[in-house]
Amino acid sequence: MLALLVLVPIAVLLLMNLPWRGARSQAYTMGVLALAFAEIFAAIALPALVGVGEIPFLSELRFGLVADDLTRVLLASIGVVVGAAMLVGQESMKDERQRCNFASLLIVSITGMNATVLLSDFFSLYVFIEVTAVASFILIALDRGVLAVEGAFRYLVLSAVATALMLGAVGLMLMSAGDTTFDAVRSGLAGGTSLVRLGLAVFMLGLFIKGGTVPFHAWLPGAYSAAPPAVSVLLSGIVTKASGIYALIRIAWSVYVPDEQISLVLLVVGTVSIIVGAVAAMGQTDLKRMYAYSSISQVGYIVLALGAGTELGVVAATFHLFNHSIFKSLLFVDSAAIESRLGTTDMTRMGGIGGKMPITGTTASIAMLSAAGIPPFAGFWSKLLIIIALWKSAHIGFAVIAVMASMLTLGYFLVMQQKAFFGKPSIEVGAIGEASIGYLVPAIALAAITVLAGVLFPFLLDSSCSFLLLGKALPW
Amino acid sequence: MNAELLSFYVAAIVLVALAGLYYLLVTTNLIRAVIGLELVTKAITVGLVLAGRLTGKVGIAQSLVITLIVVEVVIMVVAVGLILNAHRQTNDVDVRRLRNIKG
Amino acid sequence: MNDYIIDIVILACLVLSAVWAVLSPRLLRAVVGLALASVCVTIVLFRLDSPLAGVFELSVCAGLISAVFISTISLAALETEESVVQTSKERIRRYWFLPPLLLLVGVAVTQLALPDMPVQAITGEGVREVLWNQRHLDLLGQIAVLLAGAFGVVVLFKGFETRVDKGIEIKETTGK
């Protein structure tokens, strides 16, 4: 049953690209949106769906797919972000053929990400992270402009280094644990050979690079800002997360028993990423680059939460991952809207946009407040959970740093608000109006999710925590 | 396998990987960067098969290597596509003009 | 030791062709070095009882990659005399310490006290069994990545025509 999540997208992709007669490009968009909705539905209804039983043909396939609540959170995030990206793409890509290619590559990345969150083997993890990555490289360079191609190539190079590390680690795992599955490595770790630990550590190092943590983040700002607007939504919303960060959470949850050394590495990497990302974001004049550095900072929070080494830490990390997908893609949807009206994302030319584009401005403010951890938005709860997790696991110093960095985040968002959204309208801004409906729909939807998640979370806290705690990699 | 031969294997893997990695990170020519990447991939291929041979799990190692080769070929094709596009934009023949991207 | 002399020679060839690929100033020679390294890897794979992987490596890597590289280079027509001469000075500055560094690392690694590893009997299933019956997910991954590559080709390679001689501008048709 779970196999459908990876087979259906491929089937849809092949069907869409057969040489049909008649209007094609609308079919592409519809296909992607249908997949996105199906994915969100699947995320919510997964236990019921799996309970239905196995399709005879599918039981022949030995995919080794496993799902738990972590999977469901990721599937929901993937569905939402892909839907938003497609809507933005529908609006922002005028060339029909480019839009069709965009849709096709979106489906490829859906396949890659779905498989990534469902699998239970380290080598397959490499394979599907690469599938997603290849789709990303092409998507970044979709308009074939110089900056975009540059960004894509730099991403490719660093991604290749990460791949080399991950594969080397797989080799070590093969040597010491005998197989590359999560179960094999887990028993290998319990057995106590240091070679397995080394393999796991090297693999995680590769994941740090893929996820854009400091000091391996060099590719991220260039790729995020040079990519076409719809692609930036996809990249920032889910791709770096599903590729690198999810895998770290999965390892923390299903594979290893936290030990002091690995926890320390996670804590340090997380903290450094938070600080560097936040500081660098303040100095940017381009909206998309600022958001890119902010992403680096937020990913730092997720890694920091994992460093706490407790179950609460994993829950906090997962929730923050979900929140970040929502509010970061919202920010990029808004920046796409601004770019469509103003023609630029240069903040120095953006004064007073909030007045001219009220809905865009409001949703962007909601996203920023959520990112800064202000109640009642969702970001507040996930950051609170992270700080509590660190506090309870006796990493007080890191908790303090997390709090202070949160204030730093608030600082730069306020600065940015002032610069771009409020204040006197510049001449260019005076001429524009609100963005078209194609941008507003995803923006409002994403903002609504952030608000709802924030408001409802206290009521869901008990049940959601117990969900995640109980669902320890149950193969349904 | 005695320790001496094993150390030769490991040395070869490390040296090729190191040479390739260094090439990849230092060169300013995009095509050379891809060559460096390919060298690293070769080192990893040998490493995986060696691990498989030593533990007797030859089947798994070869499957991994075959999949690895397919994935890396696609990545290489995309890289070459990017290079050609970058070159087309700069519209220049001289190889030195390809430098800007690597920085 | 005599038993293994073949292996050591092949490994040496591998390292040497890799180093040659890195150090040679002419791009075409670097590609040839890469192809040679591929051949050496193939032989190594055969020696390690992995014939299927060896065949794959030989056909795909040595053949396909070299073909793609060489056509890329000729398509973009990158070799000009002056650029070779000029870059070789920079190259010496940048790469001079690589051979000694590699030598040092190589010696260091061979001195490492690696244990005698008994080569275990070939247990487990054969390649075909594993690939076709167990690692289905990897097969699906290959299909997915090939699809991605196909779209990559469609997106990135549209509108190129071969150059007749390097002096001529590339004619482009913007595919719409």
Side-chain angles (χ1 to χ4, degrees):
Chain A
M1 179 54 79
L2 292 174
L4 285 179
L5 279 165
V6 292
L7 289 175
V8 167
I10 292 190
V12 170
L13 179 64
L14 291 172
L15 277 176
M16 269 181 10
N17 281 297
L18 290 176
W20 304 101
R21 294 232 246 111
R24 289 161 60 229
S25 67
Q26 291 311 102
Y28 280 82
T29 309
M30 287 297 123
V32 174
L33 289 176
L35 278 176
F37 277 113
E39 182 127 358
I40 299 174
F41 172 71
I44 298 176
L46 201 58
L49 288 176
V50 175
V52 166
E54 194 59 82
I55 300 178
F57 161 65
L58 290 182
S59 56
E60 290 299 308
L61 296 170
R62 313 260 223 96
F63 278 173
L65 300 181
V66 154
D68 59 6
D69 288 299
L70 175 60
T71 313
R72 291 169 73 190
V73 171
L74 262 295
L75 286 177
S77 307
I78 293 173
V80 169
V81 175
V82 167
M86 188 68 234
L87 287 172
V88 172
Q90 172 70 21
E91 196 60 39
S92 66
M93 293 188 183
K94 296 307 167 199
D95 177 14
E96 210 180 279
R97 179 153 295 161
Q98 195 182 59
R99 206 163 51 220
C100 294
N101 286 332
F102 172 70
S104 300
L105 286 165
L106 261 190
I107 298 185
V108 173
S109 60
I110 292 177
T111 310
M113 292 189 285
N114 280 1
T116 307
V117 306
L118 286 167
L119 51 75
S120 54
D121 178 289
F122 278 101
F123 183 74
S124 302
L125 188 59
Y126 148 75
V127 172
F128 284 98
I129 288 182
E130 290 305 290
V131 169
T132 315
V134 168
S136 307
F137 302 149
I138 303 168
L139 282 171
I140 294 174
L142 202 62
D143 58 14
R144 299 167 87 182
V146 182
L147 271 181
V149 170
E150 280 187 31
F153 197 85
R154 188 174 294 136
Y155 181 18
L156 191 152
V157 165
L158 272 168
S159 171
V161 173
T163 299
L165 285 171
M166 284 161 65
L167 287 170
V170 166
L172 288 175
M173 287 177 195
L174 195 60
M175 281 274 318
S176 50
D179 198 357
T180 52
T181 60
F182 288 170
D183 293 327
V185 174
R186 187 172 45 226
S187 10
L189 279 173
T193 32
S194 57
L195 200 56
V196 183
R197 265 181 91 225
L198 180 64
L200 193 62
V202 173
F203 197 88
M204 287 170 71
L205 186 60
L207 290 175
F208 282 143
I209 300 179
K210 293 268 188 200
T213 54
V214 177
F216 313 111
H217 62 287
W219 59 271
L220 205 145
Y224 278 28
S225 58
V231 174
S232 303
V233 172
L234 183 74
L235 276 183
S236 64
I238 198 62
V239 165
T240 27
K241 271 157 277 312
S243 306
I245 307 302
Y246 158 79
L248 284 172
I249 300 182
R250 171 59 70 195
I251 291 176
W253 187 238
S254 302
V255 178
Y256 83 75
V257 177
D259 61 27
E260 274 311 306
Q261 288 174 328
I262 297 189
S263 290
L264 190 63
V265 169
L266 287 170
L267 289 169
V268 169
V269 169
T271 311
V272 173
S273 300
I274 294 177
I275 296 177
V276 169
V279 169
M282 288 174 91
Q284 298 299 319
T285 52
D286 179 74
L287 197 64
K288 290 168 86 168
R289 287 189 84 97
M290 190 186 92
Y291 289 157
Y293 279 107
S294 152
S295 286
I296 296 175
S297 185
Q298 298 301 323
V299 163
Y301 274 101
I302 300 176
V303 174
L304 188 64
L306 289 180
T310 60
E311 286 178 345
L312 186 60
V314 173
V315 170
T318 309
F319 191 35
H320 199 66
L321 186 153
F322 174 75
N323 282 335
H324 186 228
S325 315
I326 306 295
F327 65 64
K328 192 42 63 77
S329 21
L330 175 53
L331 283 174
F332 273 99
V333 169
D334 285 327
S335 98
I338 294 176
E339 193 172 346
S340 76
R341 286 294 183 233
L342 203 61
T344 178
T345 51
D346 186 345
M347 287 196 285
T348 58
R349 292 159 63 182
M350 264 195 227
I353 268 206
K356 287 291 179 177
M357 304 178 80
I359 301 182
T360 305
T362 315
T363 50
S365 302
I366 292 178
M368 285 188 271
L369 290 173
S370 190
I374 307 290
F377 300 108
F380 165 70
W381 295 110
S382 58
K383 284 202 174 165
L384 186 65
L385 273 186
I386 295 176
I387 294 172
I388 294 179
L390 287 171
W391 195 271
K392 287 179 76 169
S393 60
H395 295 111
I396 315 269
F398 289 102
V400 170
I401 296 180
V403 172
M404 296 199 325
S406 226
M407 297 196 220
L408 201 61
T409 315
L410 185 58
Y412 71 74
F413 274 150
L414 286 178
V415 163
M416 194 239 129
Q417 281 275 71
Q418 179 56 31
K419 259 200 258 181
F421 280 78
F422 303 116
K424 277 199 330 186
S426 60
I427 305 178
E428 293 175 68
V429 175
I432 64 175
E434 182 56 89
S436 51
I437 195 76
Y439 291 105
L440 295 181
V441 166
I444 295 176
L446 288 170
I449 296 178
T450 296
V451 171
L452 275 175
V455 166
L456 293 178
F457 186 72
F459 305 107
L460 295 178
L461 182 59
D462 278 335
S463 50
S464 55
C465 273
S466 58
F467 262 154
L468 284 160
L469 291 174
L470 283 178
K472 246 194 188 300
L474 298 169
W476 286 336
Chain B
M1 185 175 299
N2 62 3
E4 195 179 346
L5 182 60
L6 180 65
S7 62
F8 274 120
Y9 267 104
V10 173
I13 294 173
V14 168
L15 289 180
V16 173
L18 200 60
L21 198 63
Y22 184 73
Y23 205 34
L24 173 63
L25 293 174
V26 163
T27 186
T28 54
N29 185 325
L30 303 183
I31 299 189
R32 293 184 196 269
V34 177
I35 293 180
L37 169 58
E38 287 304 306
L39 284 176
V40 172
T41 307
K42 307 252 171 287
I44 289 174
T45 307
V46 174
L48 276 178
V49 172
L50 182 68
R53 185 66 190 90
L54 289 175
T55 55
K57 304 212 184 234
V58 170
I60 296 183
Q62 286 187 78
S63 317
L64 300 188
V65 163
I66 289 175
T67 306
L68 166 66
I69 290 177
V70 171
V71 172
E72 291 302 314
V73 160
V74 171
I75 290 191
M76 200 223 58
V77 166
V78 170
V80 164
L82 291 175
I83 293 178
L84 285 178
N85 272 284
H87 181 264
R88 178 179 76 137
Q89 298 294 327
T90 59
N91 215 14
D92 203 301
V93 178
D94 197 349
V95 68
R96 280 172 298 166
R97 296 307 167 90
L98 285 179
R99 66 184 345 280
N100 55 338
I101 302 185
K102 266 314 312 296
Chain C
M1 174 71 169
N2 291 337
D3 241 6
Y4 301 128
I5 198 80
I6 304 179
D7 291 306
I8 297 179
V9 166
I10 300 295
L11 288 176
C13 285
L14 173 61
V15 176
L16 285 175
S17 42
V19 173
W20 187 56
V22 171
L23 292 179
S24 82
R26 294 186 70 98
L27 202 50
L28 219 58
R29 299 236 179 107
V31 175
V32 170
L34 184 62
L36 272 179
S38 282
V39 172
C40 294
V41 166
T42 305
I43 303 178
V44 167
L45 293 188
F46 272 102
R47 294 285 301 174
L48 285 175
D49 293 311
S50 303
L52 209 60
V55 166
F56 233 87
E57 169 78 27
L58 188 64
S59 49
V60 174
C61 295
L64 174 64
I65 290 186
S66 308
V68 172
F69 266 128
I70 293 180
S71 57
T72 303
I73 295 177
S74 56
L75 190 67
L78 294 173
E79 299 253 35
T80 60
E81 266 326 299
E82 16 143 338
S83 62
V84 170
V85 164
Q86 235 144 354
T87 49
S88 63
K89 291 199 202 114
E90 300 168 24
R91 295 183 63 80
I92 295 179
R93 187 168 45 86
R94 217 181 297 131
Y95 290 107
W96 65 268
F97 63 91
L98 193 63
L101 174 68
L102 290 180
L103 210 61
L104 218 65
V105 170
V107 168
V109 170
T110 44
Q111 294 310 318
L112 276 182
L114 291 170
D116 250 354
M117 297 225 60
V119 180
Q120 297 169 21
I122 298 188
T123 62
E125 311 76 11
V127 188
R128 289 182 187 82
E129 168 71 27
V130 172
L131 195 51
W132 294 109
N133 289 346
Q134 286 181 13
R135 299 200 75 99
H136 287 153
L137 197 57
D138 290 349
L139 288 178
L140 188 71
Q142 289 185 34
I143 295 174
V145 85
L146 287 170
L147 283 173
F151 281 104
V153 167
V154 166
V155 166
L156 293 173
F157 282 85
K158 242 186 168 332
F160 285 110
E161 287 182 358
T162 49
R163 300 166 70 96
V164 174
D165 124 283
K166 59 191 175 190
I168 299 182
E169 288 240 46
I170 299 181
K171 289 196 178 50
E172 313 176 345
T173 49
T174 47
K176 265 282 188 285

